[in-house]
Amino acid sequence: MSGHSKWSTIKRKKGAADAQRGKIFTRLARDIMIAAREGGGDENSNTKLKLAVAKGKASNMPRENIERAILRGSGGADGEMMEEITYEGYGPEGVAFLIDVLTDNKNRTLAEVKRLFNRAGGSLASAGSVGWQFEKKGFITLAGEKLDFDNVFMAAAEAGADDVVDEEGTIVVNTPREMFAAVETALAENGYEIADAELRWEAKNESEIPVEKALQNMRLMEQLEELDDVQGVASNLAITDDVIAALEIA
């Protein structure tokens, strides 16, 4: 399992704590806004929006919040100019970071991101100096327990998936960027319920560093993800079993 996948598994276990911190509705609203901005405000013709709305409902997000997010994303009456930006940086020990943000004030967001990097002993980097170390890939998480792994693997492989992994009981299908939509459609047509589907950055090669420094980078990653404007954080940190063990003790 890649470092990013291990981090995703850790985050799933932390989901309840995230909700208690009051961050989840903000993140869900921004997911809905992005989906509406990219594909329009009609759930019937915008699969990404339909999935984002379903996630909002599953988290008991009020309907008026969902409708407001759709309106803002699609440029409705109270819509606003939102800008998507990817920042690049280095954490402790030179670990590479990519940070995707959606913001209505890039100066504010840049200052917040820069502050966290500086405090962690890292730094922001110039555009292109980090991005070449990553590629964008599709990740489709299936809902349900006791799914037949072999059947999922066959359906996904035939549709063009790269890999299928079992992340502690949760099946995740990895796809090339260009095959993401086709694989998602094929899985749905085969009767599988999609719990989550997204394109995100994946490191081409991972960097294994001392446990103490790895924990510093993971704290930086978590702090970045807690910023309201941040949509996703990727790094090339190798999250080893020793790092996970140390994280559970910390």
Side-chain angles (χ1 to χ4, degrees):
M1 189 188 302
S2 70
H4 197 292
S5 296
K6 288 182 179 179
W7 179 238
S8 297
T9 301
I10 292 169
K11 287 196 295 180
R12 275 200 293 272
K13 294 179 179 179
K14 290 162 55 64
D18 290 339
Q20 290 173 359
R21 285 197 294 266
K23 297 289 183 181
I24 193 166
F25 282 178
T26 299
R27 295 293 175 82
L28 289 169
R30 288 183 178 274
D31 286 346
I32 292 170
M33 288 170 60
I34 291 174
R37 177 183 176 184
E38 293 179 352
D42 184 357
E43 294 178 46
N44 294 321
S45 60
N46 185 342
T47 303
K48 185 175 180 179
L49 177 61
K50 185 176 182 179
L51 179 61
V53 169
K55 289 169 66 176
K57 291 178 178 178
S59 298
N60 297 316
M61 187 177 185
R63 182 66 203 181
E64 57 268 27
N65 291 27
I66 293 174
E67 292 175 349
R68 188 182 308 118
I70 293 173
L71 187 64
R72 292 174 67 186
S74 55
D78 64 344
E80 59 188 68
M81 293 299 296
M82 304 293 288
E83 187 173 1
E84 291 182 82
I85 306 170
T86 298
Y87 293 118
E88 306 180 27
Y90 291 103
E93 292 288 302
V95 170
F97 278 79
L98 286 184
I99 307 97
D100 288 329
V101 306
L102 178 69
T103 179
D104 59 354
N105 186 329
K106 63 181 181 181
N107 291 330
R108 178 198 66 223
T109 305
L110 175 60
E112 291 175 341
V113 171
K114 186 176 182 179
R115 174 179 58 83
L116 290 179
F117 270 101
N118 290 342
R119 193 168 69 184
S123 62
L124 283 177
S126 58
S129 60
V130 171
W132 63 271
Q133 301 180 56
F134 296 81
E135 58 184 340
K136 189 154 276 190
K137 302 185 72 173
F139 294 85
I140 303 168
T141 304
L142 301 185
E145 299 179 354
K146 298 182 179 179
L147 296 175
D148 188 299
F149 182 88
D150 290 338
N151 288 342
V152 174
F153 186 92
M154 289 298 296
E158 289 177 1
D162 275 340
D163 196 12
V164 179
V165 294
D166 187 334
E167 297 183 358
E168 298 187 8
T170 299
I171 294 182
V172 180
V173 179
N174 302 340
T175 80
R177 181 175 188 167
E178 64 274 12
M179 298 303 297
F180 174 65
V183 174
E184 182 182 4
T185 299
L187 289 170
E189 290 177 348
N190 275 274
Y192 295 107
E193 181 182 351
I194 309 298
D196 192 23
E198 62 177 338
L199 287 167
R200 64 175 184 247
W201 296 108
E202 182 86 348
K204 296 176 183 177
N205 296 289
E206 295 183 338
S207 175
E208 186 170 339
I209 60 176
V211 171
E212 181 181 349
K213 294 296 184 180
L215 292 178
Q216 291 177 15
N217 278 282
M218 292 182 73
R219 282 193 289 270
L220 172 59
M221 193 180 303
E222 186 171 7
Q223 290 166 356
L224 287 166
E225 289 180 336
E226 288 179 350
L227 295 177
D228 287 342
D229 293 338
V230 170
Q231 297 301 299
V233 180
S235 84
N236 68 344
L237 175 67
I239 303 178
T240 64
D241 291 340
D242 288 342
V243 172
I244 293 175
L247 185 66
E248 292 174 347
I249 295 173

